Amino acid sequence: QVQLVESGGGLVQAGTSLRLSCAASEEMYSPYTMGWFRQAPGKEREFVSAISRDGRTVYYSRSVKGRFAISSADTKNTVVYLQMSTLKSEDTAVYYCGATLSERADARRETSYDYWGQGTQVTVSS
């Protein structure tokens, strides 16, 4: 059974850093794009960042660009990281990892993703 497992969330102070990880199970064939979304209480899930299999194409939302960095552990794109720096209270949310097998998927759209993890909580105290 294909699974995505996020880790690395926690409670941190504003201005500090945190690194999230997402690992796909062995059953998943090299996802074309891996992405991170987040959902704050009372809000819809929103796009954060994504990376293509070859690592050449990365996307960031306007709110995290310059503070967050996405990377992949290998060319299979089955393990990705989200390095979050200069965290703000508004970054508080549950962070979800998604994977899509489609080359033509719009990485910024939630509906493009075929698989999702269960999420990891990030809480930034001010």
Side-chain angles (χ1 to χ4, degrees), residues 52-73:
S52 63
R53 182 189 298 153
D54 60 9
R56 294 180 180 178
T57 305
V58 294
Y59 305 89
Y60 295 101
S61 68
R62 191 173 295 181
S63 61
V64 307
K65 194 171 184 179
R67 299 188 298 120
F68 290 12
I70 192 170
S71 61
S72 184

Side-chain angles (χ1 to χ4, degrees), residues 20-122:
L20 305 182
S21 300
C22 174
S25 59
E26 293 181 355
E27 293 80 5
M28 178 173 289
Y29 177 76
S30 189
Y32 189 82
T33 298
M34 294 280 276
W36 287 96
F37 286 70
R38 67 187 182 186
Q39 187 167 19
K43 296 187 177 181
E44 294 185 352
R45 190 176 298 191
E46 65 173 1
F47 170 75
V48 175
S49 182
I51 186 168
S52 63
R53 182 189 298 153
D54 60 9
R56 294 180 180 178
T57 305
V58 294
Y59 305 89
Y60 295 101
S61 68
R62 191 173 295 181
S63 61
V64 307
K65 194 171 184 179
R67 299 188 298 120
F68 290 12
I70 192 170
S71 61
S72 184
D74 55 36
T75 56
K76 294 182 180 180
N77 215 23
T78 54
V79 179
V80 293
Y81 305 105
L82 184 68
Q83 179 67 47
M84 305 185 294
S85 302
T86 319
L87 283 162
K88 305 175 182 180
S89 57
E90 50 262 45
D91 294 319
T92 295
V94 177
Y95 284 70
Y96 296 92
C97 173
T100 176
L101 305 179
S102 173
E103 181 177 355
R104 296 195 177 110
D106 181 345
R108 296 181 179 91
R109 296 187 63 175
E110 184 180 354
T111 54
S112 294
Y113 291 80
D114 303 300
Y115 302 98
W116 290 97
Q118 292 187 328
T120 185
Q121 176 71 46
V122 173

Side-chain angles (χ1 to χ4, degrees), residues 4-24:
L4 295 175
V5 179
E6 303 99 334
S7 61
L11 172 62
V12 296
Q13 291 189 334
T16 61
S17 300
L18 201 62
R19 189 178 81 159
L20 305 182
S21 300
C22 174

